[in-house]
Amino acid sequence: MTEKETAEIRRRFRPDKSNITFLRACYVNEKREVISEFHQPLSSMQEQERENFLTLIKRTLSGTQGRNLIDITFATQQVADSEEHSLLMKLRDSGLDDDEAVHLFFQKAIGSINMEGDYLIFLACESYDVPTRKMQDILEDDSPNVFSYFVCSICPVKMSKPVLSYNHTQNEFHNCNINWLVSPPELGFMFPSFDDRTANIYNALFYTHGSSENHQEFIDTVFHTEIPMAADEQKETFNSILREALDDDCSLGVIQAVHDQICEMMEDHKSSKEEEPLTVSKQAVKNVLSSCGVAEAHVDAFEEKFNQEFGADTDLTPQNLINVKRFEVCTPDVTIQVKPERKDLVETRTIDGIKYILIRADEGVEVNGVDIHIS
């Protein structure tokens, strides 16, 4: 799914837009015991409660493509004949009204979720009359295309902390009652995906709140398929490949060049307003390394290690590789952060046999908030 398609579905989760009529939910404690299940119509909720539930669903489709939102792809054989895909289709086609399918899904999810403390699994289903997109992105309600889908959100439930609150009838301060509060989702998904503004039963859109965790056990159980490694692991692995493959060629200038090239690709992609998510290929990185004068043997070593770790035909998400807002130089004792556009202020140099990181400091130098002069 593209960012625009995801945003279109996210806009559905408002009281005046949504066709969601009820929620199915399962409340689970830290021992994986079901405390309760409920089937609650939205019409029975107060307005603020409806908005809160819809906000939680919306959060399940938030974040960065390729980092928090990951496309799940089913094999053709899975769609034709597999338990996992058949269950998802039953949930979708029944509008979550198939009790047996809902209970089976809850059981599978509970057995695969590794989460400390209590949590809530809730499901919401909607049929969206997709308007036709005309010229200049004007939407017209003349399309027979109906997109039926459901969203699963898995939210931690945490005990509130005791706080003082003012009681205006008594004109005194007292502790508030301790309550169990539903937190924003830690993981979830939408099935099927909304590709080319229509249902694609070969795909689902998976959500993870943290960039260091992709909840592989849950994905194995619910989707029975592989997904890319978690965003933080991608960055760590990519950096490790550069460090090990380039050896002595792994210099400040080379890493700056890789950072600059990826930043430029992201800026060009943003300017072009292309809907398809940007990816970084192995060949693009090899071209940067070669242009920096990296020895051919080291470039070949990079390719070999990349193939081993990611796969020969794998493209990576640029947001998982660099931080466009920060350029950082670290030693065991010192960390230097530089605006990416001013990386030219930093250089490495060897003076009298000692290695240094040099930072040009013409003016405006402060130490602990105090302006200093450099003589």
Side-chain angles (χ1 to χ4, degrees):
M1 284 177 62
T2 66
E3 290 183 7
K4 182 177 288 187
E5 289 164 343
T6 304
E8 184 172 346
I9 299 301
R10 274 170 51 85
R11 287 193 291 271
R12 301 292 308 159
F13 304 128
R14 296 188 341 217
D16 60 328
K17 292 282 189 181
S18 177
N19 289 327
I20 296 173
T21 56
F22 63 88
L23 299 173
R24 301 293 298 257
C26 183
Y27 183 25
V28 185
N29 66 18
E30 59 185 2
K31 297 179 182 179
R32 294 186 172 181
E33 298 171 337
V34 175
I35 298 174
S36 66
E37 291 187 30
F38 64 85
H39 182 297
Q40 186 170 355
L42 262 67
S43 59
S44 68
M45 301 179 187
Q46 297 179 1
E47 182 178 353
Q48 188 60 54
E49 290 176 341
R50 287 198 300 272
E51 290 185 3
N52 289 340
F53 269 111
L54 290 173
T55 297
L56 289 174
I57 299 173
K58 183 186 293 186
R59 290 287 291 270
T60 313
L61 298 180
S62 64
T64 304
Q65 299 284 142
R67 186 175 181 84
N68 307 102
L69 296 173
I70 301 167
D71 285 317
I72 300 285
T73 302
F74 293 100
T76 302
Q77 185 58 40
Q78 282 183 287
V79 176
D81 180 24
S82 71
E83 292 182 4
E84 62 274 6
H85 194 273
S86 176
L87 178 57
L88 295 175
M89 289 297 292
K90 284 181 182 178
L91 293 170
R92 195 281 295 259
D93 293 343
S94 69
L96 303 178
D97 213 21
D98 185 328
D99 291 343
E100 183 179 350
V102 170
H103 292 153
L104 178 58
F105 174 79
F106 284 154
Q107 290 171 12
K108 286 179 173 291
I110 292 168
S112 64
I113 295 171
N114 293 313
M115 189 178 297
E116 293 184 3
D118 298 0
Y119 58 88
L120 180 70
I121 308 172
F122 70 87
L123 304 170
C125 187
E126 185 195 40
S127 292
Y128 169 36
D129 293 325
V130 182
T132 303
R133 190 179 295 280
K134 299 295 186 179
M135 296 297 292
Q136 299 178 340
D137 282 348
I138 298 173
L139 300 180
E140 296 187 4
D141 297 323
D142 62 352
S143 172
N145 180 21
V146 177
F147 175 54
S148 296
Y149 67 101
F150 74 92
V151 176
C152 169
S153 299
I154 300 170
C155 305
V157 179
K158 300 178 181 180
M159 185 182 292
S160 64
K161 296 180 180 180
V163 294
L164 287 172
S165 175
Y166 177 67
N167 186 315
H168 106 85
T169 59
Q170 298 177 4
N171 195 29
E172 294 175 345
F173 281 88
H174 297 282
N175 272 341
C176 289
N177 292 331
I178 296 176
N179 293 310
W180 291 93
L181 306 178
V182 179
S183 302
E186 191 68 26
L187 67 152
F189 67 91
M190 181 179 82
F191 177 82
S193 63
F194 187 55
D195 292 337
D196 293 326
R197 306 187 66 244
T198 191
N200 178 5
I201 63 172
Y202 285 81
N203 282 74
L205 185 66
F206 179 74
Y207 167 79
T208 177
H209 171 72
S211 57
S212 61
E213 176 62 77
N214 61 11
H215 306 280
Q216 187 64 52
E217 187 176 350
F218 178 85
I219 289 171
D220 288 341
T221 301
V222 175
F223 305 111
H224 197 61
T225 188
E226 294 289 333
I227 67 168
M229 62 179 66
D232 288 356
E233 187 180 355
Q234 280 189 35
K235 182 175 183 179
E236 183 178 333
T237 302
F238 181 74
N239 290 346
S240 177
I241 291 172
L242 287 174
R243 182 171 59 249
E244 295 173 10
L246 303 192
D247 197 18
D248 291 342
D249 280 340
C250 192
S251 65
L252 174 64
V254 170
I255 301 305
Q256 281 180 327
V258 172
H259 189 279
D260 287 345
Q261 179 63 28
I262 296 176
C263 283
E264 185 177 338
M265 290 171 63
M266 294 171 69
E267 189 61 35
D268 290 345
H269 183 266
K270 183 178 179 180
S271 300
S272 68
K273 298 183 178 180
E274 292 183 23
E275 294 189 10
E276 288 300 318
L278 174 68
T279 58
V280 176
S281 68
K282 173 184 63 180
Q283 188 60 47
V285 180
K286 285 178 58 182
N287 292 342
V288 175
L289 299 179
S290 298
S291 68
C292 294
V294 173
E296 184 176 350
H298 290 164
V299 176
D300 292 341
F302 168 81
E303 180 174 21
E304 182 180 350
K305 290 183 178 295
F306 187 100
N307 293 346
Q308 291 173 355
E309 296 294 340
F310 294 116
D313 300 321
T314 301
D315 291 340
L316 304 179
T317 302
Q319 292 91 341
N320 295 346
L321 305 181
I322 66 167
N323 187 333
V324 295
K325 297 181 180 179
R326 186 177 67 190
F327 187 79
E328 192 172 83
V329 182
C330 298
T331 75
D333 303 307
V334 178
T335 298
I336 304 164
Q337 293 185 359
V338 187
K339 292 181 179 180
E341 64 271 17
R342 293 314 315 267
K343 293 190 295 292
D344 59 296
L345 296 176
V346 182
E347 62 176 299
T348 56
R349 190 180 300 178
T350 300
I351 303 174
D352 296 332
I354 301 175
K355 299 174 183 177
Y356 290 91
I357 299 171
L358 301 183
I359 306 170
R360 194 169 79 239
D362 296 327
E363 58 183 14
V365 180
E366 293 184 1
V367 176
N368 290 340
V370 180
D371 291 327
I372 66 167
H373 295 285
I374 301 176
S375 59

